[in-house]
Amino acid sequence: SSGVSGAGGSGFVLVGSGAATGALGGAVTISVGSGTSGAGGAASVLAGRSTVSTGGALVLTSGEGTVASSGSVVIRSANGGAGGASGMLVFSSGTAKTGNSGALMLGTGGSHGGRGGLVSVTGGIGTSSGGAVQVAAGASTADSGGSVAVFSGAGAATSSGDVFLRTANAGT
């Protein structure tokens, strides 16, 4: 933790490893304790709050690969035990008091020499039933509800992409 400042900016906290020449860069691991009679310890990363301007940003960025691929960013919950479910993942923006709430955007980067990246949303496989995939637009208490739009990609030199909506084959 850095100290509190009464007039200027508070101190800067940096946690990192050194660079390496001819070998791997050092790893940084933040780990919390396990629990044997209760829940395991929580790990929280919170950006700073502001009373007069925009709150601080929280940025997770993988490492650049100057001659190969960049690193991956993996966010996942651990597997559930014999008597429980795996943890839930929630990606959500906060509510807004007067303006618009924040957008949630899922996308991949463009490519200059290959295909654009794939975006895949898939429900889990289950023995009783498969996991559902639901897309719902927001309701409004004073105006029109939100729209749901599905577009294929434009093709500058050839055809645009297809849009498929179909059910899977039934079992025997």
Side-chain angles (χ1 to χ4, degrees), residues 1-140:
S1 174
S2 66
V4 177
S5 173
S10 62
F12 183 77
V13 176
L14 174 65
V15 178
S17 65
T21 301
L24 297 175
V28 175
T29 301
I30 300 174
S31 178
V32 295
S34 302
T36 57
S37 60
S44 297
V45 180
L46 303 175
R49 177 177 178 265
S50 173
T51 58
V52 296
S53 185
T54 306
L58 179 61
V59 180
L60 294 177
T61 306
S62 67
E64 179 185 5
T66 56
V67 296
S69 301
S70 61
S72 300
V73 176
V74 179
I75 300 175
R76 66 180 299 267
S77 65
N79 297 333
S86 60
M88 181 169 59
L89 291 180
V90 178
F91 297 94
S92 175
S93 65
T95 58
K97 294 181 180 179
T98 57
N100 299 326
S101 63
L104 177 62
M105 303 182 70
L106 277 177
T108 66
S111 173
H112 296 290
R115 294 178 181 268
L118 171 71
V119 176
S120 177
V121 179
T122 307
I125 298 172
T127 55
S128 59
S129 64
V133 175
Q134 183 177 16
V135 179
S140 173

Side-chain angles (χ1 to χ4, degrees), residues 133-155:
V133 175
Q134 183 177 16
V135 179
S140 173
T141 58
D143 206 336
S144 301
S147 301
V148 175
V150 179
F151 300 99
S152 66

